Amino acid sequence: MSSTVHSRRSFLQLAGTGLAVSGLGLVPMAQAATLPAPTVPAATGPVLLNFNECPYGPSPAAQAAVRDIVPGSGRYLFALAGEVRDTFAAQEQIAADRVRLYPGSSEPLNRAAVVWTSASAGLVVADPTFESLGDLAAARGATVERVPLRADGAHDLRAMVAAAQRINAGLLYLCNPNNPTGSITPADDIAWLLAHKPAQTRVLVDEAYIQYSDQPSLIGQVMQRDDVIVLRTFSKLYGMAGLRLGVAAAHPDRLRELASLGDNPVPVTALAAALASLRDPGLVAQRKAQNAQVRQATVAWLGKRGFSSVPSEANCFVVDVQRDGKAFVAAMAERGVIIGRSWPIWPQRVRVTVGTEAEMEAFRAAFAAVTERG
């Protein structure tokens, strides 16, 4: 065990040197813009609109980078992690020592529950929101205070701060845009949160969907404060859910606390795909526009039929189906369209992932068939 831990720590130390990567076959930045436009993977089986995945998969540049690096993946290629970290940090205009890579953003999310919640340090979350953090904190004996979203879908930060004071919260979780709703919490409200939260409460900001949104990122705060941790992922807009790469950005002291639970190298295939994605100057804008167009058209179609949705700026939305959500999800599945579930606080609302135009056409057909059946 001790040798394994040593090798993992050595990996991050070597990655942190930012050594140049050579001979890896990665696509240079200048060539990224010349690659063909993203294509849609061939559809097989049911339409999957349930896990907020990107239907376009990794970009062509990312796919090429993965193929090129596989022959060399018998090596750890430590320096590649440093290059990804440095490239990400430069794009976000933060110091590289404020960035740490993980195999998906769920890992630092779960680590946060272990490090900053306990029987004497509670957790405050919105309701509904991404649930794994709350589940893990509760399993560790922490008090978990769930504060309902406002009517507009924003986090009720004043109520959340009051809850943090009441339960001596070690952590307050802000998912912006929120999962499952895709709704945003305005920047002014977040500024109020940072000015009024209890001193002992860390703020964990999950920005898995920020690239789909028009909202400003909070990541610059990690250069100014030691009580804000920002998470990013390559699973959503970059289409790398199965490749697994996430980022935790925070003050170095907070990153060390997360790392105290051990280190694990990130797969080199994920690193290669991430670097190619970061180097593609048009990818984010293109996929953001694609997603917004399809989402807005779908929400408008639902609205014309009397089914309301929470305003969304992500690749998902929640719609009120005006009947039992679990039964509705099952009925859609019978028609070959797999959608997300309902939440205890909203038993008649279900989450839908935004797919391709063709996938949403199938969604509309199934939705019409189920609702017309009564």
mmCIF file of all heavy atoms in Angstrom, residues 152-191:
data_model
loop_
_atom_site.group_PDB
_atom_site.id
_atom_site.type_symbol
_atom_site.label_atom_id
_atom_site.label_comp_id
_atom_site.label_asym_id
_atom_site.label_seq_id
_atom_site.Cartn_x
_atom_site.Cartn_y
_atom_site.Cartn_z
ATOM 1 N N ASP A 152 -38.348 30.887 -9.342
ATOM 2 C CA ASP A 152 -37.673 31.080 -10.623
ATOM 3 C C ASP A 152 -36.555 30.071 -10.854
ATOM 4 O O ASP A 152 -35.841 30.133 -11.864
ATOM 5 C CB ASP A 152 -37.132 32.507 -10.748
ATOM 6 C CG ASP A 152 -36.092 32.842 -9.675
ATOM 7 O OD1 ASP A 152 -35.808 31.978 -8.813
ATOM 8 O OD2 ASP A 152 -35.577 33.975 -9.701
ATOM 9 N N GLY A 153 -36.370 29.132 -9.936
ATOM 10 C CA GLY A 153 -35.351 28.101 -10.073
ATOM 11 C C GLY A 153 -34.020 28.445 -9.456
ATOM 12 O O GLY A 153 -33.117 27.600 -9.412
ATOM 13 N N ALA A 154 -33.850 29.673 -8.987
ATOM 14 C CA ALA A 154 -32.584 30.071 -8.363
ATOM 15 C C ALA A 154 -32.464 29.485 -6.963
ATOM 16 O O ALA A 154 -33.465 29.192 -6.298
ATOM 17 C CB ALA A 154 -32.478 31.593 -8.308
ATOM 18 N N HIS A 155 -31.223 29.341 -6.492
ATOM 19 C CA HIS A 155 -30.999 28.976 -5.096
ATOM 20 C C HIS A 155 -31.498 30.109 -4.206
ATOM 21 O O HIS A 155 -31.261 31.291 -4.493
ATOM 22 C CB HIS A 155 -29.512 28.764 -4.835
ATOM 23 C CG HIS A 155 -28.952 27.502 -5.417
ATOM 24 N ND1 HIS A 155 -28.989 27.201 -6.763
ATOM 25 C CD2 HIS A 155 -28.319 26.446 -4.819
ATOM 26 C CE1 HIS A 155 -28.418 26.028 -6.970
ATOM 27 N NE2 HIS A 155 -28.000 25.549 -5.808
ATOM 28 N N ASP A 156 -32.157 29.757 -3.124
ATOM 29 C CA ASP A 156 -32.601 30.745 -2.137
ATOM 30 C C ASP A 156 -31.445 30.954 -1.164
ATOM 31 O O ASP A 156 -31.382 30.362 -0.089
ATOM 32 C CB ASP A 156 -33.849 30.240 -1.414
ATOM 33 C CG ASP A 156 -34.487 31.303 -0.536
ATOM 34 O OD1 ASP A 156 -33.794 32.307 -0.223
ATOM 35 O OD2 ASP A 156 -35.654 31.137 -0.147
ATOM 36 N N LEU A 157 -30.509 31.809 -1.559
ATOM 37 C CA LEU A 157 -29.257 31.914 -0.811
ATOM 38 C C LEU A 157 -29.437 32.540 0.560
ATOM 39 O O LEU A 157 -28.687 32.214 1.492
ATOM 40 C CB LEU A 157 -28.230 32.677 -1.638
ATOM 41 C CG LEU A 157 -27.772 31.935 -2.909
ATOM 42 C CD1 LEU A 157 -26.746 32.754 -3.660
ATOM 43 C CD2 LEU A 157 -27.199 30.554 -2.564
ATOM 44 N N ARG A 158 -30.397 33.417 0.705
ATOM 45 C CA ARG A 158 -30.638 33.977 2.039
ATOM 46 C C ARG A 158 -31.114 32.900 3.001
ATOM 47 O O ARG A 158 -30.671 32.824 4.158
ATOM 48 C CB ARG A 158 -31.615 35.151 1.950
ATOM 49 C CG ARG A 158 -30.944 36.422 1.444
ATOM 50 C CD ARG A 158 -31.930 37.516 1.093
ATOM 51 N NE ARG A 158 -31.263 38.788 0.842
ATOM 52 C CZ ARG A 158 -30.538 39.079 -0.247
ATOM 53 N NH1 ARG A 158 -30.420 38.160 -1.205
ATOM 54 N NH2 ARG A 158 -29.964 40.263 -0.392
ATOM 55 N N ALA A 159 -32.010 32.072 2.539
ATOM 56 C CA ALA A 159 -32.470 30.959 3.374
ATOM 57 C C ALA A 159 -31.346 29.953 3.610
ATOM 58 O O ALA A 159 -31.249 29.356 4.687
ATOM 59 C CB ALA A 159 -33.669 30.281 2.724
ATOM 60 N N MET A 160 -30.481 29.759 2.615
ATOM 61 C CA MET A 160 -29.375 28.824 2.779
ATOM 62 C C MET A 160 -28.352 29.343 3.779
ATOM 63 O O MET A 160 -27.796 28.571 4.572
ATOM 64 C CB MET A 160 -28.731 28.535 1.422
ATOM 65 C CG MET A 160 -29.645 27.754 0.469
ATOM 66 S SD MET A 160 -28.936 27.446 -1.173
ATOM 67 C CE MET A 160 -27.793 26.107 -0.791
ATOM 68 N N VAL A 161 -28.087 30.634 3.772
ATOM 69 C CA VAL A 161 -27.171 31.209 4.751
ATOM 70 C C VAL A 161 -27.750 31.077 6.162
ATOM 71 O O VAL A 161 -27.038 30.737 7.120
ATOM 72 C CB VAL A 161 -26.864 32.673 4.407
ATOM 73 C CG1 VAL A 161 -26.213 33.395 5.595
ATOM 74 C CG2 VAL A 161 -25.950 32.741 3.196
ATOM 75 N N ALA A 162 -29.052 31.339 6.290
ATOM 76 C CA ALA A 162 -29.696 31.178 7.597
ATOM 77 C C ALA A 162 -29.575 29.728 8.083
ATOM 78 O O ALA A 162 -29.316 29.470 9.265
ATOM 79 C CB ALA A 162 -31.159 31.594 7.517
ATOM 80 N N ALA A 163 -29.748 28.782 7.157
ATOM 81 C CA ALA A 163 -29.610 27.376 7.519
ATOM 82 C C ALA A 163 -28.173 27.050 7.921
ATOM 83 O O ALA A 163 -27.931 26.296 8.873
ATOM 84 C CB ALA A 163 -30.045 26.489 6.357
ATOM 85 N N ALA A 164 -27.206 27.612 7.201
ATOM 86 C CA ALA A 164 -25.800 27.378 7.526
ATOM 87 C C ALA A 164 -25.465 27.875 8.926
ATOM 88 O O ALA A 164 -24.722 27.222 9.676
ATOM 89 C CB ALA A 164 -24.905 28.053 6.491
ATOM 90 N N GLN A 165 -26.028 29.001 9.290
ATOM 91 C CA GLN A 165 -25.814 29.525 10.641
ATOM 92 C C GLN A 165 -26.465 28.630 11.685
ATOM 93 O O GLN A 165 -25.897 28.377 12.757
ATOM 94 C CB GLN A 165 -26.374 30.951 10.719
ATOM 95 C CG GLN A 165 -25.631 31.952 9.846
ATOM 96 C CD GLN A 165 -26.362 33.272 9.708
ATOM 97 O OE1 GLN A 165 -27.589 33.347 9.892
ATOM 98 N NE2 GLN A 165 -25.634 34.331 9.383
ATOM 99 N N ARG A 166 -27.632 28.108 11.350
ATOM 100 C CA ARG A 166 -28.409 27.316 12.309
ATOM 101 C C ARG A 166 -27.750 25.966 12.600
ATOM 102 O O ARG A 166 -27.781 25.484 13.731
ATOM 103 C CB ARG A 166 -29.820 27.119 11.758
ATOM 104 C CG ARG A 166 -30.786 26.440 12.708
ATOM 105 C CD ARG A 166 -32.212 26.538 12.203
ATOM 106 N NE ARG A 166 -32.397 25.969 10.877
ATOM 107 C CZ ARG A 166 -32.617 26.667 9.762
ATOM 108 N NH1 ARG A 166 -32.643 27.989 9.807
ATOM 109 N NH2 ARG A 166 -32.776 26.080 8.596
ATOM 110 N N ILE A 167 -27.162 25.340 11.592
ATOM 111 C CA ILE A 167 -26.625 23.988 11.777
ATOM 112 C C ILE A 167 -25.091 23.963 11.836
ATOM 113 O O ILE A 167 -24.503 22.882 11.783
ATOM 114 C CB ILE A 167 -27.118 23.042 10.668
ATOM 115 C CG1 ILE A 167 -26.502 23.432 9.306
ATOM 116 C CG2 ILE A 167 -28.627 23.000 10.601
ATOM 117 C CD1 ILE A 167 -26.738 22.393 8.221
ATOM 118 N N ASN A 168 -24.470 25.127 11.925
ATOM 119 C CA ASN A 168 -23.006 25.189 11.940
ATOM 120 C C ASN A 168 -22.432 24.452 10.732
ATOM 121 O O ASN A 168 -21.620 23.526 10.846
ATOM 122 C CB ASN A 168 -22.443 24.589 13.232
ATOM 123 C CG ASN A 168 -20.936 24.796 13.361
ATOM 124 O OD1 ASN A 168 -20.430 25.874 13.054
ATOM 125 N ND2 ASN A 168 -20.227 23.759 13.797
ATOM 126 N N ALA A 169 -22.835 24.880 9.556
ATOM 127 C CA ALA A 169 -22.460 24.173 8.337
ATOM 128 C C ALA A 169 -20.972 24.292 8.046
ATOM 129 O O ALA A 169 -20.388 25.379 8.107
ATOM 130 C CB ALA A 169 -23.261 24.710 7.152
ATOM 131 N N GLY A 170 -20.360 23.179 7.714
ATOM 132 C CA GLY A 170 -18.988 23.200 7.233
ATOM 133 C C GLY A 170 -18.929 23.451 5.745
ATOM 134 O O GLY A 170 -17.899 23.870 5.214
ATOM 135 N N LEU A 171 -20.059 23.200 5.055
ATOM 136 C CA LEU A 171 -20.074 23.289 3.604
ATOM 137 C C LEU A 171 -21.443 23.735 3.112
ATOM 138 O O LEU A 171 -22.479 23.285 3.627
ATOM 139 C CB LEU A 171 -19.727 21.915 3.008
ATOM 140 C CG LEU A 171 -19.351 21.834 1.526
ATOM 141 C CD1 LEU A 171 -18.074 22.637 1.250
ATOM 142 C CD2 LEU A 171 -19.161 20.378 1.109
ATOM 143 N N LEU A 172 -21.442 24.606 2.115
ATOM 144 C CA LEU A 172 -22.660 25.011 1.416
ATOM 145 C C LEU A 172 -22.435 24.720 -0.060
ATOM 146 O O LEU A 172 -21.434 25.153 -0.639
ATOM 147 C CB LEU A 172 -22.954 26.490 1.651
ATOM 148 C CG LEU A 172 -24.263 27.057 1.071
ATOM 149 C CD1 LEU A 172 -24.778 28.215 1.931
ATOM 150 C CD2 LEU A 172 -24.102 27.521 -0.378
ATOM 151 N N TYR A 173 -23.360 23.998 -0.666
ATOM 152 C CA TYR A 173 -23.211 23.537 -2.047
ATOM 153 C C TYR A 173 -24.079 24.360 -2.973
ATOM 154 O O TYR A 173 -25.288 24.476 -2.775
ATOM 155 C CB TYR A 173 -23.599 22.059 -2.129
ATOM 156 C CG TYR A 173 -23.589 21.458 -3.516
ATOM 157 C CD1 TYR A 173 -22.422 21.426 -4.278
ATOM 158 C CD2 TYR A 173 -24.744 20.886 -4.050
ATOM 159 C CE1 TYR A 173 -22.411 20.854 -5.536
ATOM 160 C CE2 TYR A 173 -24.739 20.302 -5.302
ATOM 161 C CZ TYR A 173 -23.566 20.285 -6.053
ATOM 162 O OH TYR A 173 -23.561 19.716 -7.304
ATOM 163 N N LEU A 174 -23.455 24.927 -4.007
ATOM 164 C CA LEU A 174 -24.144 25.741 -4.997
ATOM 165 C C LEU A 174 -23.859 25.174 -6.379
ATOM 166 O O LEU A 174 -22.720 25.230 -6.855
ATOM 167 C CB LEU A 174 -23.656 27.194 -4.905
ATOM 168 C CG LEU A 174 -24.079 28.164 -6.007
ATOM 169 C CD1 LEU A 174 -25.594 28.345 -6.029
ATOM 170 C CD2 LEU A 174 -23.393 29.518 -5.813
ATOM 171 N N CYS A 175 -24.860 24.611 -7.016
ATOM 172 C CA CYS A 175 -24.726 24.062 -8.360
ATOM 173 C C CYS A 175 -25.316 25.090 -9.328
ATOM 174 O O CYS A 175 -26.524 25.341 -9.320
ATOM 175 C CB CYS A 175 -25.466 22.729 -8.460
ATOM 176 S SG CYS A 175 -25.205 21.834 -10.008
ATOM 177 N N ASN A 176 -24.466 25.683 -10.153
ATOM 178 C CA ASN A 176 -24.908 26.797 -10.992
ATOM 179 C C ASN A 176 -24.274 26.724 -12.380
ATOM 180 O O ASN A 176 -23.069 26.882 -12.510
ATOM 181 C CB ASN A 176 -24.525 28.128 -10.321
ATOM 182 C CG ASN A 176 -25.227 29.319 -10.933
ATOM 183 O OD1 ASN A 176 -26.398 29.244 -11.268
ATOM 184 N ND2 ASN A 176 -24.520 30.425 -11.077
ATOM 185 N N PRO A 177 -25.107 26.457 -13.421
ATOM 186 C CA PRO A 177 -26.524 26.130 -13.413
ATOM 187 C C PRO A 177 -26.799 24.851 -12.626
ATOM 188 O O PRO A 177 -25.951 23.981 -12.518
ATOM 189 C CB PRO A 177 -26.857 25.944 -14.896
ATOM 190 C CG PRO A 177 -25.821 26.730 -15.638
ATOM 191 C CD PRO A 177 -24.580 26.573 -14.811
ATOM 192 N N ASN A 178 -28.015 24.786 -12.131
ATOM 193 C CA ASN A 178 -28.372 23.704 -11.229
ATOM 194 C C ASN A 178 -28.730 22.427 -11.982
ATOM 195 O O ASN A 178 -29.260 22.462 -13.088
ATOM 196 C CB ASN A 178 -29.573 24.138 -10.370
ATOM 197 C CG ASN A 178 -29.887 23.153 -9.267
ATOM 198 O OD1 ASN A 178 -28.995 22.663 -8.591
ATOM 199 N ND2 ASN A 178 -31.171 22.862 -9.081
ATOM 200 N N ASN A 179 -28.430 21.323 -11.380
ATOM 201 C CA ASN A 179 -28.884 20.010 -11.833
ATOM 202 C C ASN A 179 -29.874 19.509 -10.781
ATOM 203 O O ASN A 179 -29.509 19.446 -9.598
ATOM 204 C CB ASN A 179 -27.695 19.043 -11.923
ATOM 205 C CG ASN A 179 -28.076 17.648 -12.347
ATOM 206 O OD1 ASN A 179 -29.179 17.410 -12.811
ATOM 207 N ND2 ASN A 179 -27.147 16.714 -12.182
ATOM 208 N N PRO A 180 -31.136 19.264 -11.136
ATOM 209 C CA PRO A 180 -31.658 18.871 -12.447
ATOM 210 C C PRO A 180 -32.294 19.973 -13.293
ATOM 211 O O PRO A 180 -32.687 19.711 -14.427
ATOM 212 C CB PRO A 180 -32.756 17.861 -12.065
ATOM 213 C CG PRO A 180 -33.317 18.435 -10.792
ATOM 214 C CD PRO A 180 -32.121 18.990 -10.055
ATOM 215 N N THR A 181 -32.436 21.160 -12.779
ATOM 216 C CA THR A 181 -33.289 22.157 -13.430
ATOM 217 C C THR A 181 -32.620 22.913 -14.565
ATOM 218 O O THR A 181 -33.305 23.419 -15.447
ATOM 219 C CB THR A 181 -33.756 23.189 -12.391
ATOM 220 O OG1 THR A 181 -32.594 23.772 -11.773
ATOM 221 C CG2 THR A 181 -34.620 22.530 -11.322
ATOM 222 N N GLY A 182 -31.307 23.053 -14.523
ATOM 223 C CA GLY A 182 -30.618 23.910 -15.480
ATOM 224 C C GLY A 182 -30.778 25.382 -15.169
ATOM 225 O O GLY A 182 -30.287 26.238 -15.909
ATOM 226 N N SER A 183 -31.442 25.694 -14.076
ATOM 227 C CA SER A 183 -31.716 27.088 -13.705
ATOM 228 C C SER A 183 -30.472 27.733 -13.111
ATOM 229 O O SER A 183 -29.580 27.056 -12.593
ATOM 230 C CB SER A 183 -32.876 27.148 -12.710
ATOM 231 O OG SER A 183 -32.653 26.271 -11.618
ATOM 232 N N ILE A 184 -30.417 29.057 -13.186
ATOM 233 C CA ILE A 184 -29.235 29.777 -12.720
ATOM 234 C C ILE A 184 -29.558 30.606 -11.479
ATOM 235 O O ILE A 184 -30.701 30.970 -11.220
ATOM 236 C CB ILE A 184 -28.651 30.668 -13.838
ATOM 237 C CG1 ILE A 184 -29.667 31.733 -14.302
ATOM 238 C CG2 ILE A 184 -28.209 29.819 -15.005
ATOM 239 C CD1 ILE A 184 -29.508 33.075 -13.663
ATOM 240 N N THR A 185 -28.504 30.865 -10.723
ATOM 241 C CA THR A 185 -28.581 31.766 -9.583
ATOM 242 C C THR A 185 -27.810 33.025 -9.940
ATOM 243 O O THR A 185 -26.613 32.933 -10.284
ATOM 244 C CB THR A 185 -27.989 31.117 -8.321
ATOM 245 O OG1 THR A 185 -28.749 29.924 -8.021
ATOM 246 C CG2 THR A 185 -28.039 32.060 -7.136
ATOM 247 N N PRO A 186 -28.445 34.206 -9.913
ATOM 248 C CA PRO A 186 -27.803 35.431 -10.389
ATOM 249 C C PRO A 186 -26.516 35.766 -9.646
ATOM 250 O O PRO A 186 -26.345 35.464 -8.454
ATOM 251 C CB PRO A 186 -28.879 36.503 -10.154
ATOM 252 C CG PRO A 186 -30.172 35.751 -10.136
ATOM 253 C CD PRO A 186 -29.850 34.431 -9.516
ATOM 254 N N ALA A 187 -25.610 36.432 -10.373
ATOM 255 C CA ALA A 187 -24.310 36.787 -9.814
ATOM 256 C C ALA A 187 -24.435 37.687 -8.592
ATOM 257 O O ALA A 187 -23.656 37.562 -7.637
ATOM 258 C CB ALA A 187 -23.456 37.456 -10.889
ATOM 259 N N ASP A 188 -25.396 38.587 -8.593
ATOM 260 C CA ASP A 188 -25.576 39.474 -7.438
ATOM 261 C C ASP A 188 -25.948 38.691 -6.195
ATOM 262 O O ASP A 188 -25.508 39.023 -5.078
ATOM 263 C CB ASP A 188 -26.648 40.532 -7.741
ATOM 264 C CG ASP A 188 -26.173 41.582 -8.731
ATOM 265 O OD1 ASP A 188 -24.958 41.641 -9.007
ATOM 266 O OD2 ASP A 188 -27.024 42.336 -9.236
ATOM 267 N N ASP A 189 -26.755 37.654 -6.365
ATOM 268 C CA ASP A 189 -27.127 36.819 -5.223
ATOM 269 C C ASP A 189 -25.917 36.064 -4.681
ATOM 270 O O ASP A 189 -25.751 35.906 -3.459
ATOM 271 C CB ASP A 189 -28.211 35.824 -5.625
ATOM 272 C CG ASP A 189 -29.557 36.473 -5.893
ATOM 273 O OD1 ASP A 189 -29.632 37.716 -5.848
ATOM 274 O OD2 ASP A 189 -30.525 35.746 -6.166
ATOM 275 N N ILE A 190 -25.067 35.608 -5.590
ATOM 276 C CA ILE A 190 -23.875 34.873 -5.160
ATOM 277 C C ILE A 190 -22.912 35.807 -4.439
ATOM 278 O O ILE A 190 -22.280 35.424 -3.441
ATOM 279 C CB ILE A 190 -23.206 34.191 -6.362
ATOM 280 C CG1 ILE A 190 -24.170 33.157 -6.983
ATOM 281 C CG2 ILE A 190 -21.913 33.517 -5.947
ATOM 282 C CD1 ILE A 190 -23.665 32.533 -8.262
ATOM 283 N N ALA A 191 -22.797 37.035 -4.920
ATOM 284 C CA ALA A 191 -21.954 38.018 -4.229
ATOM 285 C C ALA A 191 -22.467 38.254 -2.811
ATOM 286 O O ALA A 191 -21.672 38.377 -1.860
ATOM 287 C CB ALA A 191 -21.920 39.322 -5.019
#
